[in-house]
Amino acid sequence: MSGQADFQACPLILSCAGVEDLTLIGTMHLRTSGDERVDFFFRAEQWTGEICNMEPDKCDEICWFPVDVLPENIIPFVQEAWNTFRDGVWYAAHGWN
């Protein structure tokens, strides 16, 4: 299973007993209209708590999905990041064309 947690939008407490519980799978330099940032994508092997939608005005639903059955309405840069990292490439850039 895979998920992306942005603490402002989706508070989730990662319970990491050691470095082996949290793995950096990739980095994306992202540019959108009015925003530029670097996002870090992690795989968490353990966590506590339940995900919840803290921004219902921006997001209909937050769910866990199997990585090979992601929803059709996934955010484009997240889909691009997943495709890149799945192929073993740890860095991606989006919105710089």
Side-chain angles (χ1 to χ4, degrees), residues 5-20:
D6 171 344
F7 192 75
Q8 290 177 326
C10 175
L12 182 69
I13 306 302
L14 296 175
S15 174
C16 297
V19 177
E20 66 276 1

Side-chain angles (χ1 to χ4, degrees), residues 2-93:
S2 175
Q4 175 187 359
D6 171 344
F7 192 75
Q8 290 177 326
C10 175
L12 182 69
I13 306 302
L14 296 175
S15 174
C16 297
V19 177
E20 66 276 1
D21 293 334
L22 191 62
T23 304
L24 177 66
I25 61 169
T27 305
M28 176 175 270
H29 193 184
L30 178 67
R31 181 175 172 190
T32 62
S33 60
D35 187 26
E36 178 183 333
R37 66 180 185 267
V38 176
D39 286 356
F40 298 91
F41 294 79
F42 294 89
R43 181 180 66 234
E45 297 297 332
Q46 298 180 43
W47 62 88
T48 60
E50 296 293 325
I51 59 173
C52 60
N53 186 356
M54 300 299 291
E55 296 181 322
D57 57 317
K58 296 180 181 179
C59 178
D60 293 333
E61 182 179 35
I62 295 180
C63 298
W64 296 106
F65 294 93
V67 295
D68 56 345
V69 190
L70 296 175
E72 290 183 21
N73 65 344
I74 191 170
I75 299 168
F77 83 86
V78 173
Q79 180 68 63
E80 183 179 340
W82 172 246
N83 292 342
T84 301
F85 307 150
R86 180 193 59 215
D87 294 339
V89 178
W90 66 272
Y91 174 80

